[in-house]
Amino acid sequence: MHSREHWEHVYSTKAPDAVSWFQPRAETSLRLIEATGVPADSSIIDIGGGASTLVDDLLAKGYERVTVLDVAASALKAAQDRLGRGAQLVTWLAADITTAELPKDKYDLWHDRAVFHFLTRATQREAYLGAVLRAVRPGGHVIVSTFAEDGPSRCSGLPVMRYSAESLHAEFGAPFTLVEHERERHHTPFGTVQLFTYCYCRKSGN
């Protein structure tokens, strides 16, 4: 993962709705999460959730055990300030997902929009996959979104990896069964369009 300092600088110098990945509502993510059928008391973790509004909508829909992880504490604070007293209902983790020590078999659903594509080194992706394998319970759900193969080659001044549904699923490999995939045309706050790939997989096991 790129330095904590980089992302702290981004969130301390820009408003949450002034970054290219901002969504007023994370509609594709919400639809895929609801399609998994996980009950309200399921344990959900949003990787790189930062200042995203996804947590707001998850709480509004009655999900009771939501964790938001981000490398930038300032991004988490922006979400906490927005939620007010509702922030007390969420577990907040300021951590780098490639080094974080998450509990084994803790989560029923893992969600990541726009973190994995920043992992440009194989060792980073291996560490990320290790975290998924450890933290998601057998039979759990994994939703990961990255820039599509014809999406941007850089973001926030950093190089990124781009994926088709097939190549993204291949990174995760045999322990994960691909259930669904789709493309998204994300309209940035600046009036441009970014193409994303979403993969929804199930982790093997009962």
Side-chain angles (χ1 to χ4, degrees), residues 51-67:
S52 167
T53 62
L54 178 62
V55 63
D56 306 53
D57 286 320
L58 291 176
L59 293 176
K61 290 179 178 294
Y63 293 101
E64 302 167 357
R65 298 166 59 201
V66 179
T67 297

Side-chain angles (χ1 to χ4, degrees), residues 41-147:
D41 62 351
S42 297
S43 187
I44 297 173
I45 186 167
D46 186 18
I47 305 300
S52 167
T53 62
L54 178 62
V55 63
D56 306 53
D57 286 320
L58 291 176
L59 293 176
K61 290 179 178 294
Y63 293 101
E64 302 167 357
R65 298 166 59 201
V66 179
T67 297
V68 179
L69 179 149
D70 200 281
V71 71
S74 54
L76 297 176
K77 186 177 186 305
Q80 292 164 353
D81 290 345
R82 186 182 65 240
L83 285 169
R85 293 180 64 182
Q88 299 174 19
L89 304 174
V90 179
T91 299
W92 306 93
L93 297 177
D96 181 334
I97 190 54
T98 64
T99 58
E101 296 185 6
L102 299 176
K104 182 173 175 58
D105 297 340
K106 166 75 172 179
Y107 301 104
D108 300 290
L109 190 149
W110 176 290
H111 173 267
D112 165 9
R113 178 181 179 270
V115 170
F116 191 74
H117 63 207
F118 282 109
L119 307 183
T120 57
R121 299 199 304 270
T123 53
Q124 294 172 319
R125 297 192 294 276
E126 289 167 3
Y128 181 105
L129 179 57
V132 179
L133 286 168
R134 175 179 175 81
V136 177
R137 67 167 180 80
H141 309 267
V142 178
I143 298 168
V144 174
S145 174
T146 67
F147 283 140

